[in-house]
Amino acid sequence: MRKFLIVLFLLPCFGNAQDYVDIVKIGYGQTFKNTFENTSSSTHVSFSEADLTVPVVVSEKNAFITGIGYSQSKLQLFPEADFKNLYSTTLKLGLASTYNDTWSSTIVLLPKIASDYKSISSKNFYMGGFGVVKFQKTKNLKYRFGVYATSEAFGFFMTPIIGCYYLSENKKFEMDLSLPISAEMNYHLGKTSLGLDYYGIGRSFAFSEADTPYYIDQSSLEFSSYVQYALLKKSILIRGKIGYATSNNEVYAKDDTIDLGVSAFSFGDNRILLNPDLKGGLFLKLETVYRFNITPKRLKDKD
């Protein structure tokens, strides 16, 4: 009965077009031969991530959104230097609400701790969150509008979110846009799917150790194509990606910050970069997703 209530809630919350929810996502990837600008040195960046999202129903039209996200990057910040591990753990606390057949919203707080985890203090804690309003235009098309904001080691950052979700009538072509953060398009060929996606990552890591008086401003734009294979009635997805990532990891002194960041623009940014720019490179990535599928048949079976 509880699963039935979750399905009934998630169907209007996430829209008639999108008939699934990704509960668990795990990924590992690596770039190849990232060159430090104006030097002959090169390096690589490896990264892993895990994400869990769990809705808890509180009424017919409202549910708490809970979960946790984890990421880890291993890289060199300076030519010929030792590799550093950068970690980030984010808690998800939010509310998803459905108002009628057309309008719904999601508001989520995203407190996180980001550092090398050798020494953790209040300086490694950041508060962020996002709010999105969704408009169901047709049964196959939904628009979304919102804003994402967060405190970071470099200052306060925010960006608008504009996007849509579309599923073709034959359910073969799918498009999911939340610009400028992410974009994905894929075409389903039975259990196999071919896709293109983009993901923009921006975060920071401030160290508490006395011998590391700096922070890292990490930003990466990932452009990739992928092949996906579905198992267990399309509940388990295995996805192999190849693409290009910019992989910027800029080092600044702890007190060297900006006034405000809005999307791709920085205001009051007079910071002095302490390491050479790291050029982008090719990357490979493997992802595994547990997807909770919502279909008319399952709804009927649970009734």
Side-chain angles (χ1 to χ4, degrees), residues 3 12 17 45 76 94-95 110 164 216 224 249-250 255 275:
K3 282 188 177 180
V45 180
Q76 289 174 292
L95 179 68
L110 299 169
C164 68
I216 290 83
S224 66
N249 288 275
E250 300 176 342
D255 297 327
N275 66 331

Side-chain angles (χ1 to χ4, degrees), residues 2-3 25 33 57 75 126 142 148 168 194 198 211 229 234 260 294-295:
R2 183 171 181 80
K3 282 188 177 180
K25 183 177 180 180
K33 199 174 181 179
V57 176
L75 68 154
Y126 308 102
K142 173 193 289 185
Y148 168 78
S168 64
L194 303 177
Y198 152 81
D211 61 341
Y229 188 74
K234 298 185 179 181
L260 175 66
I294 305 168
T295 66

Side-chain angles (χ1 to χ4, degrees), residues 249-286:
N249 288 275
E250 300 176 342
V251 178
Y252 296 100
K254 282 187 176 179
D255 297 327
D256 202 0
T257 60
I258 67 174
D259 293 337
L260 175 66
V262 179
S263 192
F265 303 97
S266 296
F267 299 93
D269 188 357
N270 299 309
R271 296 177 296 174
I272 299 174
L273 184 63
L274 301 180
N275 66 331
D277 280 330
L278 191 64
K279 293 184 178 180
L282 292 176
F283 76 91
L284 295 176
K285 189 175 184 180
L286 180 64

Side-chain angles (χ1 to χ4, degrees), residues 3 68 134 238:
K3 282 188 177 180
I68 192 168
K134 290 160 277 188
I238 300 174

